[in-house]
Amino acid sequence: MIPFNRPLYLGTELACVNEVLRAELGTSFRLECESWFHRHTGGSVALMTPSCTHALELAALVADIGPGDEVILPGYTFVSSANAFALRGAMPVFVDIRTDTCNIDERAIEAAITERTRAVVVVHYGGVACEMEAILPLAKRHGLLVIEDAAHGVMAQWRGRPLGSIGDLGALSFHATKNYTSGGEGGMLLVNEPRMAERARLIRTKGTDRDAFLRGDVDRYTWQVVGSNYLPSEVQAACLYAQLSAAEKVNERRRALWQRYAEMLGPLGASQGFGIQSVPAGCRHNGHLFYLRLPPGLSRDAWIAALAEKGVEACSHYTPLHTAPAGLLNSRFQGSAKHTLAACGDLVRLPLYYALTDTEQAQVIDAVTELMRQC
Ligand SMILES: *Cc1c(COP(=O)(O)O)cnc(C)c1O
C-alpha cells in the first residue's frame, strides 16, 4: 500500500536532537528557526509555538479578540481556524469558498461584516494564496485585521511574498502532515505588523518581558500582561532547523510531484468531469497537496475504497464545521454554503510527499487513470 503521507524525515534531524539532549548550556535552535523565517519573510517577527493551533490562539490573544467580537473565515477549513477565536468567546462567521481554489470567496466577505467584526481569517488551501488583492483593501476599508492561516503555506508565495507574511498576523504549521515537521507537532506565528510584535512576545512568554531580559534590555523580568506559555521545546526546534536547511530541495521535489500529477491526470480528468486545484496567476504553490474533485454522482467513499484495492491510500479532507455539534452552538454561516458542502463531499487527496518515489507516483497515476476511464 502506498501510504497517503510519510512525515518528512531527512536523517539530519538526529544530530540536531542529539545536540539538544546532550548540551549542558542549552541550545538555540528555536532562535535559529525564528531567524530563518525572519530572513525569508523579509522582516516578519517569527515566534515559534508548540503547534499551528497555538499560533492561531496566540494570534487571537495578540489581536485582543474577545466576547461579542466576530471573525470571518471560510466554511471549508480545519477546526483550529475557528477554535482559536471561539476559545476567546468570539463568534466564527463562516462564508462560502471559491470552487477553483477552495479558498474563501472574497465576494462573500462584505455581506458577513457587521459592527462586531474584528478580523478576516484567510486559509491558503493547499499552499495556493487567497485573493489577497481584493481582501487586503476590503479589510482596510472596514478596519479589520487580516489573519492568515498559512498552515499549508510554508515556502509558497503570493506575488513573491511568502504566505503568512502578507496580513497582520500569520500562522504556520509543522505538523507531521505538513511540508516540514518539527517532530510531529509545531507551529510559528508571523507578526507582520510591527506594533503587535512586543505584545506577542510578552503573551507567548507567560505574560512576562523575559525575552527583553534575555536580550539584556531589562535587569529582571516581571508580569506585564495576561499571557501563557506558547514556547516550543528545543527538540521540536532542532528537527525543524534540520529540515529548513533543506527547504528549497524539499519544495522543488513536492512541486515536481504536483506538476506530474497535474500533467498526467489533468487532461483525462477534465474530459471525464474531474476537477483539479487551479493555481491563479501570481501564486507560487508549494506542492502541499494534490486533489481531485469527483464528478456528481460518483461516490467518494467507493472511489477511495477502489483506490485502496489498487494499493493507493487516498483521503477526503474537511467536514463541515458549521453543522458539527460545536459549530451549531458557537458559530454561524453567512450566505450559501453550497461550495463548502460540495468540497466536503467530493474532494479526494492523493499521496504527495518528499519521500514518494517516481515509481510509486506512477502507480498512483495508473490506478487513478484506470478508475477515471471507467467513469
Ligand atoms: C494543520 C492545520 C492547522 C493546525 O495545525 P497544527 O500544527 O496541527 O496545530 C490549522 N489550520 C489548517 C488549515 C491546517 O491544515
Side-chain angles (χ1 to χ4, degrees):
M1 189 78 154
I2 298 171
F4 172 68
N5 182 46
R6 290 192 186 104
L8 180 61
Y9 174 67
L10 301 167
T12 46
E13 297 89 345
L14 286 176
C16 295
V17 170
N18 200 27
E19 211 181 302
V20 172
L21 300 180
R22 303 189 57 139
E24 290 176 3
L25 294 173
T27 50
S28 54
F29 285 109
R30 174 177 62 79
L31 293 175
E32 294 283 352
C33 292
E34 292 177 348
S35 132
W36 191 95
F37 278 95
H38 179 71
R39 291 194 310 274
H40 281 77
T41 53
S44 300
V45 170
L47 303 176
M48 193 174 171
T49 55
S51 70
C52 177
T53 301
H54 284 86
L56 289 164
E57 288 180 21
L58 182 54
L61 286 163
V62 172
D64 200 19
I65 286 172
D69 291 340
E70 295 180 355
V71 300
I72 296 169
L73 72 169
Y76 187 68
T77 187
F78 190 60
V79 66
S80 297
S81 331
N83 258 332
F85 304 95
L87 259 179
R88 307 255 53 81
M91 167 80 76
V93 178
F94 297 110
V95 300
D96 212 1
I97 54 167
R98 300 172 58 97
T99 39
D100 56 350
T101 55
C102 293
N103 282 335
I104 192 166
D105 186 342
E106 71 285 358
R107 296 156 299 194
I109 295 173
E110 196 139 31
I113 297 174
T114 70
E115 61 211 18
R116 295 166 177 262
T117 310
R118 295 283 318 284
V120 179
V121 179
V122 297
V123 181
H124 305 298
Y125 188 66
V128 171
C130 296
E131 299 289 319
M132 301 309 285
E133 168 138 273
I135 295 168
L136 293 172
L138 175 68
K140 193 162 185 194
R141 218 163 45 241
H142 291 273
L144 309 178
L145 294 171
V146 174
I147 301 174
E148 299 173 75
D149 180 341
H152 299 182
V154 179
M155 292 294 282
Q157 297 177 345
W158 175 71
R159 297 194 178 163
R161 298 165 72 181
L163 302 191
S165 72
I166 303 161
D168 297 286
L169 297 160
L172 311 177
S173 176
F174 310 116
H175 185 261
T177 53
K178 303 303 198 307
N179 290 23
Y180 306 90
T181 181
S182 46
E185 299 281 356
M188 185 83 69
L189 179 70
L190 298 178
V191 186
N192 312 317
E193 172 50 64
R195 74 187 156 79
M196 294 180 165
E198 197 46 36
R199 186 173 150 76
R201 287 186 192 283
L202 295 175
I203 293 171
R204 180 181 65 160
T205 316
K206 300 129 193 159
T208 71
D209 53 351
R210 187 162 183 274
D211 283 9
F213 169 71
L214 292 177
R215 285 195 306 264
D217 294 350
V218 293
D219 296 344
R220 68 178 77 82
Y221 66 89
T222 54
W223 191 18
Q224 300 285 325
V225 298
V226 174
S228 185
N229 183 0
Y230 289 120
L231 286 161
S233 84
E234 273 295 298
V235 171
Q236 286 177 294
C239 292
L240 182 62
Y241 176 79
Q243 299 199 347
L244 291 178
S245 308
E248 199 61 59
K249 182 174 78 172
V250 171
N251 197 46
E252 287 313 314
R253 175 64 184 159
R254 294 193 75 116
R255 282 176 54 83
L257 288 164
W258 190 99
Q259 193 59 34
R260 183 150 178 241
Y261 273 141
E263 281 164 13
M264 303 298 283
L265 298 175
L268 172 66
S271 71
Q272 302 288 74
F274 289 77
I276 69 166
Q277 180 178 30
S278 78
V279 183
C283 296
R284 182 179 163 84
H285 71 80
N286 58 357
H288 174 60
L289 50 81
F290 187 88
Y291 64 74
L292 300 168
R293 302 287 305 270
L294 303 192
L298 271 192
S299 152
R300 180 177 57 187
D301 289 352
W303 232 70
I304 289 177
L307 278 175
E309 240 165 69
K310 294 180 186 295
V312 174
E313 186 188 15
C315 284
S316 60
H317 209 177
Y318 301 129
T319 54
L321 292 175
H322 64 290
T323 56
L328 291 172
L329 291 175
N330 300 289
S331 72
R332 68 183 167 82
F333 204 108
Q334 174 69 41
S336 160
K338 183 177 162 209
H339 299 306
T340 296
L341 294 171
C344 289
D346 68 17
L347 190 146
V348 176
R349 293 176 294 160
L350 302 179
L352 201 176
Y353 38 87
Y354 183 71
L356 186 72
T357 66
D358 290 344
T359 315
E360 287 173 327
Q361 189 183 27
Q363 243 173 286
V364 177
I365 291 169
D366 286 349
V368 172
T369 302
E370 217 174 295
L371 287 180
M372 277 178 171
R373 288 218 172 98
Q374 289 165 15
C375 292

